[in-house]
Amino acid sequence: MTAALEMAEAALANGDFPVGCVIADDSAVLVRSCRTGTAAGPPNEIDHAEINTLKELYVHAPLVDRTRLTLYCTMEPCLMCYGAILLSGIGRVVYAYEDVMGGGSACDRAGLPPLYRDARLTVISGVLRGESLILFQRFFTRTGNRYWADSLLSRYTLDQMAVP
């Protein structure tokens, strides 16, 4: 998760939403990326950290046994990313900060078609949550930021600043 936090810091330094992601096996990080497309102009809602990292995996480790891999992300994957993770065959997702506005990892897959319903995936939440929360608070308090400004996620994140 520390490597994912480093990628989130890189996104924040570029003015982007601070989501970082890495995919690792038991011994090393295989690929890494971060959220792009939110720093200027209309936001690009496709280049999420998880999607960017999955693309890197397909390029740099196309034959790896994905069931043995773990995807670490500083924010809970949205529905788009969660679906892509399920389809990719990744065995485990570990995320830091919950996405109260768009998180997809808690969706009930029981009523979905077999491709999604039967995918084997373990989800672990809250790992290094505090460190990730600080990055999102820094993002939402940044002057001139318009991405998700005054959204449920922004208010939820900033409301936690007063909590010790």
Side-chain angles (χ1 to χ4, degrees), residues 3 6 22 38 42 51 60 70 90 92 96 112 117 123 142-143:
E6 290 169 3
V22 301
T38 61
I51 298 297
H60 298 290
T70 301
I90 298 284
R92 182 169 45 173
L112 296 178
R117 180 189 64 227
V123 177
R142 182 174 277 176
T143 304

Side-chain angles (χ1 to χ4, degrees), residues 17-28:
F17 198 52
V19 181
C21 181
V22 301
I23 298 175
D25 62 15
D26 291 334
S27 61

Side-chain angles (χ1 to χ4, degrees), residues 79 82 86 107-118:
L79 277 174
Y82 189 62
L86 288 170
C107 74
D108 181 6
R109 294 189 286 144
L112 296 178
L115 185 62
Y116 299 96
R117 180 189 64 227
D118 298 340

Side-chain angles (χ1 to χ4, degrees), residues 30 54 139:
L30 302 176
L54 285 169
F139 178 81

Side-chain angles (χ1 to χ4, degrees), residues 8-113:
E9 283 277 4
L12 186 62
N14 289 328
D16 277 307
F17 198 52
V19 181
C21 181
V22 301
I23 298 175
D25 62 15
D26 291 334
S27 61
V29 170
L30 302 176
V31 291
R32 61 185 76 220
S33 194
C34 60
R35 181 68 163 96
T36 57
T38 61
N44 170 334
E45 291 302 343
I46 296 172
D47 291 332
H48 289 201
E50 301 92 330
I51 298 297
N52 292 339
T53 307
L54 285 169
K55 287 180 189 178
E56 289 293 316
L57 182 67
Y58 298 145
V59 169
H60 298 290
L63 301 178
V64 68
D65 178 1
R66 294 188 190 119
T67 62
R68 301 176 62 107
L69 301 180
T70 301
L71 181 146
Y72 295 89
C73 196
T74 58
M75 176 171 264
E76 177 184 6
C78 71
L79 277 174
M80 174 183 72
C81 294
Y82 189 62
I85 293 164
L86 288 170
L87 291 174
S88 76
I90 298 284
R92 182 169 45 173
V93 170
V94 178
Y95 69 85
Y97 188 57
E98 65 277 9
D99 183 352
V100 299
M101 187 170 76
S105 68
C107 74
D108 181 6
R109 294 189 286 144
L112 296 178

